[in-house]
Amino acid sequence: FLADRRIPPWNQWPEISWHDPKGPSFIGDMPHSWIGGEYILSIRTMLAYEREADQSLFIAAGIHEDWLTGPERVSVTGLPTYYGKLSYTLSREGPDRLRLVLSGDLAMPPGKVIVQPPLPRPLVQVTVNGAQTETFTSQSALCDACPAEIIMFF
């Protein structure tokens, strides 16, 4: 996506981006800040997004499994949402376990928080704040508390 910025020294995203950057083509008027805004929105959506249909907050749905290899973790701090500022860390704690620590100035959404982490296999067990819960599917876990520590086994 970043490679399609035109004209390279301008560091801009054109309205239209052709495969061959040297070919005769139209790139629209510049700059297109709405395209930059869409880029920011796509990054934000990888980390968290609101689903208006049931007023739920999805987190971690766009995180790639490779981002959690070894000691690596994903951290989000103060991300604005409809329900307040969201913070969380997601890390791998062994070959079959993920740990998510949820915090922030977050009012619990009516549809709750839905954690949808990158999983190599289906979820088989989830604990929220040390208590085992049955509110999960093979791909996501439901959380109704903030702050919370969520352990997901797969």
Side-chain angles (χ1 to χ4, degrees):
F1 190 73
L2 295 174
D4 285 333
R5 291 173 292 176
R6 304 282 190 265
I7 301 168
W10 291 6
N11 207 19
Q12 296 284 330
W13 282 297
E15 183 175 15
I16 301 167
S17 185
W18 300 96
H19 183 66
D20 180 5
K22 294 182 181 179
S25 58
F26 173 73
I27 61 172
D29 54 338
M30 298 283 268
H32 278 288
S33 56
W34 67 268
I35 294 175
E38 288 297 319
Y39 177 72
I40 292 168
L41 182 60
S42 67
I43 298 296
R44 182 201 184 275
T45 302
M46 289 178 4
L47 304 172
Y49 69 90
E50 299 87 351
R51 185 168 67 189
E52 291 185 32
D54 61 357
Q55 296 181 313
S56 58
L57 177 63
F58 277 75
I59 59 175
I63 294 173
H64 196 278
E65 181 185 359
D66 290 347
W67 299 355
L68 301 172
T69 58
E72 301 302 320
R73 67 182 187 172
V74 172
S75 293
V76 173
T77 304
L79 182 69
T81 73
Y82 294 171
Y83 309 103
K85 292 187 179 180
L86 170 69
S87 296
Y88 69 84
T89 59
L90 178 64
S91 58
R92 184 182 292 269
E93 292 190 335
D96 62 350
R97 180 175 158 158
L98 293 177
R99 177 177 184 255
L100 185 130
V101 177
L102 177 65
S103 62
D105 179 20
L106 191 67
M108 189 53 55
K112 311 296 184 236
V113 172
I114 300 170
V115 182
Q116 198 169 16
L119 300 168
R121 297 179 303 281
L123 276 174
V124 295
Q125 182 182 354
V126 175
T127 64
V128 177
N129 292 330
Q132 191 167 338
T133 181
E134 298 300 321
T135 57
F136 69 94
T137 68
S138 63
Q139 298 175 345
S140 64
L142 187 72
C143 178
D144 61 0
C146 183
E149 179 184 58
I150 304 161
I151 308 295
M152 296 163 280
F153 299 88
F154 50 90

